[in-house]
């Protein structure tokens, strides 16, 4: 069974930092993309960042560019999303997802591009 588990969410003051982790099990794919999405109450799920397994290519949405960094040490390690200079508008449930699509690409920024999802982790940024 393929599973993705996010962790690292929590409550932080504006300007603070958090590091989210996305750990996979049972997932065997050579060329794939891990994406991070977020969904705030009453809003659609939006793409935040992605990283491609083969060459480490990355993408960041304009809303997080310069503040968030996606990374992984190796194919068997979790994917991390380092979030710095957090703002109240970053408050959302953050999800990681995976599928065999290239990053960056239009499909990599949309939920429809992914088949495997984690359960999400709550990030709350207080002002």
């Amino acid at each position: 069974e393929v599973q993705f588990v996010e962790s690292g969410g929590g409550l932080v003051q504006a300007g603070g930092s958090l590091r989210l982790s996305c750990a996979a099990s049972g997932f065997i794919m050579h060329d794939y993309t891990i994406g991070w999405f977020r969904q705030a109450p009453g809003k659609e799920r939006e793409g935040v960042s992605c990283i491609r397994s083969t060459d480490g290519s990355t993408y960041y949405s304009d809303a997080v560019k310069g503040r968030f960094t996606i990374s992984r040490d190796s194919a068997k390690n979790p994917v991390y999303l380092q979030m710095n200079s957090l703002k109240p508008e970053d408050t959302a449930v953050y999800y990681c997802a995976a599928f065999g699509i290239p990053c960056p690409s239009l499909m990599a920024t949309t939920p429809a591009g992914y088949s495997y999802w984690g359960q999400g982790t709550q990030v709350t940024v207080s002002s």
Side-chain angles (χ1 to χ4, degrees):
E1 180 186 6
V2 176
Q3 277 193 322
F4 286 86
V5 179
E6 305 93 337
S7 61
L11 173 64
V12 64
Q13 288 188 331
S17 299
L18 285 173
R19 190 178 79 157
L20 305 184
S21 297
C22 173
S25 62
F27 182 68
I28 301 175
M29 216 172 202
H30 172 64
D31 186 358
Y32 59 92
T33 285
I34 298 290
W36 281 99
F37 289 78
R38 66 185 182 186
Q39 189 165 20
K43 294 189 176 181
E44 293 186 352
R45 192 168 297 190
E46 63 169 341
V48 172
S49 182
C50 65
I51 186 166
R52 189 169 184 177
S53 64
T54 51
D55 60 7
S57 297
T58 60
Y59 156 84
Y60 299 95
S61 69
D62 288 342
V64 307
K65 196 174 296 182
R67 301 186 297 122
F68 290 11
T69 303
I70 192 170
S71 66
R72 78 182 320 173
D73 294 331
S74 72
K76 294 186 177 181
N77 285 348
V79 171
Y80 301 103
L81 185 68
Q82 178 67 42
M83 307 187 297
N84 298 330
S85 302
L86 283 162
K87 305 174 182 180
E89 51 263 45
D90 294 319
T91 295
V93 177
Y94 283 71
Y95 301 88
C96 69
F99 202 48
I101 52 177
C103 168
S105 69
L106 182 60
M107 283 302 293
T109 67
T110 64
Y114 296 83
S115 291
Y116 303 103
W117 290 86
Q119 82 291 346
T121 185
Q122 176 70 47
V123 171
T124 303
V125 184
S126 63
S127 57

